[in-house]
Amino acid sequence: MSFLIRETLTYAVPLMIVALAGVFAERSGVINLALEGIMVFGAFIGCLFVRVMQQNEVFVLLPKSANWPQMQGFILLTMLVAALLGALFSLLLAFAAINLKADQTISGTALNMLSPAIVLFLIRLIAQQNELTLFKGDAASWFMLKKSMFGIPKTTSNFFVDTFLNKVYITTYVCLILFVVLSVLMYKTRFGLRLRSCGENPQAAASLGINVVKMRYAGVVISGALAGMGGFVYSLTTANCVANGDVAGFGFLALAVMIFGNWKPLNIAGAALLFGLFKCTAAAYSTLDINGDGVFLLAQLSKDPVWGKLLNANFYRLLPYLISLLVLAFTSKKSRAPKAEGVPYDAGKR
């Protein structure tokens, strides 16, 4: 059970933070379909930053040294770099949607096509191969937290330690804290109220002295920062800090989580955990011991003469996306998007 919870959080947290990124943009009135592209860009920037730092021996500490907290500080710095470049990349969407009043769906789609092309071109230029990897070692040996680092003997085994302190990444907890803080910012502060008003009725907001253009830029930039950070977190925790121009559709899954969660943080957290569970199942079904009795039920079903024809590896990989389609089909009619979402702001319109 500890493994299941830990891995579910690993997949759910990037979905949560990127879905919240979509909320910030759409609550301000701008549709951000470019979450996938910004995640791809953020994953590349984060992996490139780690690789360059290793290559130039800026951080010469060995991953197994006693100074492991400094390695965690390095990861936090990398998250910040990915967030900053993600915010910068999102300015392309903000300029097209706000200043040029371009169709926001097409603008987001264009960025989704542009980002992998740029990333793959730069990867070929830098590494002369189709993916950008760490200069040395792997993500787990460099950055994964283990219980021995906290002074807990390896032989110690209890639910809390095995679930939250062993074989985890600090990014999971940083993103959870950030998710809570930004949710409070959106719903309990003046800034959040103004941002949401621009997505509901920008003309009414402007009549009260709110600068709609600035607020929409703020929403898109925050959205880009979170999506860029989410891209790096995905790459670090599930792809061994490798950038290859792909994030396995997590940006589009995050959009589904956002719609399923009805643009509300608490609902989004629950939806992300649901989708994270299915992603975890797809990735580790063959070694998944649900109740700790040593029986790998899903693996056994996949080998069954009857059930094995349906419940195979391809089915489990398809499951998260199939669930996304089913959930959206049954819940999208009840979803309530911001009223002015996708509508270019016209100061003269009433």
Side-chain angles (χ1 to χ4, degrees), residues 2-279:
S2 293
F3 173 80
L4 182 62
I5 295 174
R6 188 173 66 238
E7 292 302 306
T8 296
L9 283 175
T10 298
Y11 286 99
V13 163
L15 283 176
M16 287 172 60
I17 206 70
V18 178
L20 187 64
V23 171
F24 266 93
E26 300 200 6
R27 284 293 185 188
S28 72
V30 178
I31 299 174
N32 190 356
L33 288 185
L35 293 177
E36 177 89 359
I38 300 173
M39 281 189 74
V40 168
F41 191 71
F44 166 72
I45 292 297
C47 295
L48 177 63
F49 184 74
V50 174
R51 180 186 173 93
V52 170
M53 292 299 105
Q54 288 181 324
Q55 195 168 1
N56 292 282
E57 297 187 344
V58 175
F59 289 84
V60 295
L61 296 174
L62 294 175
K64 295 181 180 179
S65 70
N67 294 318
W68 60 267
Q70 294 189 29
M71 302 307 298
Q72 303 308 311
F74 177 40
I75 280 297
L76 297 180
L77 177 62
T78 309
M79 290 176 68
L80 179 61
V81 170
L84 289 175
L85 270 294
L88 185 64
F89 188 72
S90 70
L91 287 175
L92 292 172
L93 174 66
F95 181 74
I98 300 170
N99 294 86
L100 301 182
K101 295 181 172 56
D103 186 290
Q104 296 170 16
T105 302
I106 294 176
S107 300
T109 303
L111 290 185
N112 283 336
M113 297 172 67
L114 176 66
S115 177
I118 293 176
V119 166
L120 288 172
F121 171 75
L122 292 176
I123 289 174
R124 291 288 296 177
L125 199 64
I126 295 167
Q128 286 79 50
Q129 56 189 17
N130 292 327
E131 61 182 25
L132 189 71
T133 61
L134 293 180
F135 185 68
K136 54 184 175 181
D138 56 67
S141 62
W142 276 84
F143 306 117
M144 181 180 280
L145 293 172
K146 301 179 178 65
K147 55 186 175 184
S148 58
M149 295 177 175
F150 300 97
I152 302 172
K154 292 183 179 180
T155 55
T156 302
S157 179
N158 62 63
F159 177 78
F160 179 81
V161 170
D162 292 340
T163 304
F164 301 109
L165 297 180
N166 190 41
K167 296 182 180 179
V168 296
Y169 291 91
I170 193 174
T171 54
T172 298
Y173 303 114
V174 171
C175 287
L176 286 173
I177 293 171
L178 198 59
F179 183 86
V180 173
V181 171
L182 291 176
S183 298
V184 172
L185 175 69
M186 177 171 289
Y187 284 93
K188 300 296 181 181
T189 65
R190 180 185 298 177
F191 170 80
L193 178 61
R194 291 181 173 185
L195 184 80
R196 288 183 287 122
S197 69
C198 293
E200 295 293 338
N201 194 327
Q203 282 76 26
S207 69
L208 297 175
I210 298 173
N211 190 320
V212 176
V213 171
K214 286 185 178 180
M215 294 307 296
R216 288 192 168 184
Y217 259 98
V220 175
V221 168
I222 294 173
S223 177
L226 292 177
M229 182 188 299
F232 170 66
V233 171
Y234 164 82
S235 175
L236 174 71
T237 58
T238 67
N240 195 29
C241 207
V242 172
N244 56 8
D246 181 39
V247 289
F250 258 60
F252 296 113
L253 274 177
L255 283 171
V257 167
M258 179 189 69
I259 296 170
F260 180 38
N262 205 19
W263 290 266
K264 296 178 181 178
L266 191 60
N267 294 348
I268 285 172
L273 288 171
L274 175 65
F275 284 93
L277 176 62
F278 287 114
K279 286 293 292 184

Side-chain angles (χ1 to χ4, degrees), residues 301-311:
L301 286 174
S302 66
K303 296 177 182 178
D304 186 88
V306 178
W307 288 103
K309 295 179 180 179
L310 173 64
L311 302 178

